[in-house]
Amino acid sequence: APPGVSQEQAEISYWRRRVVEACIYGVDNNPLAVELTKLSLWLTCIASDEPLNFLDHHLRVGNSLIGAKLDDMIILPSKKQTNQIPFSFGLNLPTAVASAIQTIESIESEASTSLEIVKKKETLWKKEVVNRLSPFKAIGDMWIATTAGLKLDENEYHTLAKYLISAPKQRTKEKDGWLRIENQLAEIREQIHPFHWELEFPDVFFDKNGIKKADA
């Protein structure tokens, strides 16, 4: 325990910080509201000898009412496009999700006792979770955008979805198609801020192998 702090107080402070970093989830469409929530939690569990907790993985910005489920993304939402052939994520999705969950567990397993640890967590979060899942989120954004004016037929949707989840070296053929919709998609995304729950909180909806939980 730090000087002037009892062992009981130190233990309560420690576990309060661990609970905040590992057990509390939140979503808001207003970025300021998310930052104020972080501030409130930081003030609740502040410790004079330790840095602020890493909370980016559980407190997220987005419209919690607008998003796409992975099971829905396999076909376009338009009722006019009947008898569609479902799109398949193949092994790309469970592989990416399993890796993301492993990283999240690593982030949560270590207490944020130093600034170096917090910075390491931030780097891991961006590189191993955000970057790995961003192609699938982009497919979700594209799916939602078709309900808000983005024009795509079944073939274009399949082609662009495959483009997004393929390795960078294999993306040359479909690049023009992606560039055609990229700006419009960005505008729609900015307007509605879609939030795809399964991809934002993969550790809640999937098991360690990247398989969706039966009760999720």
Side-chain angles (χ1 to χ4, degrees), residues 73-100:
M73 290 184 203
I74 59 175
I75 61 173
L76 286 171
S78 174
K79 295 180 180 179
K80 297 180 181 179
Q81 303 195 46
T82 58
N83 299 320
Q84 297 182 56
I85 299 174
F87 170 76
S88 174
F89 291 104
L91 295 177
N92 300 71
L93 178 62
T95 300
V97 169
S99 177

Side-chain angles (χ1 to χ4, degrees), residues 66-188:
I66 300 178
K69 293 183 178 180
L70 290 163
D71 289 343
D72 293 335
M73 290 184 203
I74 59 175
I75 61 173
L76 286 171
S78 174
K79 295 180 180 179
K80 297 180 181 179
Q81 303 195 46
T82 58
N83 299 320
Q84 297 182 56
I85 299 174
F87 170 76
S88 174
F89 291 104
L91 295 177
N92 300 71
L93 178 62
T95 300
V97 169
S99 177
I101 291 174
Q102 184 178 7
T103 301
I104 292 171
E105 290 180 345
S106 174
I107 289 173
E108 294 178 354
S109 66
E110 187 174 13
S112 298
T113 55
S114 70
L115 185 59
E116 289 73 19
I117 292 176
V118 174
K119 288 183 176 180
K120 183 182 73 172
K121 290 183 178 186
E122 182 179 6
T123 299
L124 282 173
W125 168 250
K126 291 179 178 179
K127 182 179 179 180
E128 300 297 334
V129 181
V130 175
N131 288 348
R132 281 186 180 276
L133 297 181
S134 62
F136 304 97
K137 293 179 186 178
I139 295 173
D141 293 346
M142 188 167 58
W143 188 92
I144 284 290
T146 62
T147 68
L150 181 64
K151 302 297 182 182
L152 282 180
D153 60 29
E154 178 186 348
N155 290 333
E156 290 174 317
Y157 180 68
H158 280 226
T159 298
L160 293 176
K162 291 177 181 177
Y163 166 80
L164 288 168
I165 63 176
S166 62
K169 293 181 180 179
Q170 301 173 348
R171 291 184 173 183
T172 54
K173 293 182 180 180
E174 294 82 16
K175 186 176 181 179
D176 291 341
W178 175 250
L179 292 176
R180 181 183 68 80
I181 71 161
E182 190 174 22
N183 290 337
Q184 185 182 1
L185 179 60
E187 291 176 3
I188 294 174

Side-chain angles (χ1 to χ4, degrees), residues 43-78:
L43 292 175
T44 299
C45 59
I46 194 168
S48 59
D49 60 332
E50 294 183 358
L52 301 175
N53 298 62
F54 177 75
L55 302 176
D56 291 359
H57 63 315
H58 280 182
L59 298 179
R60 313 288 295 138
V61 176
N63 189 330
S64 61
L65 301 179
I66 300 178
K69 293 183 178 180
L70 290 163
D71 289 343
D72 293 335
M73 290 184 203
I74 59 175
I75 61 173
L76 286 171
S78 174

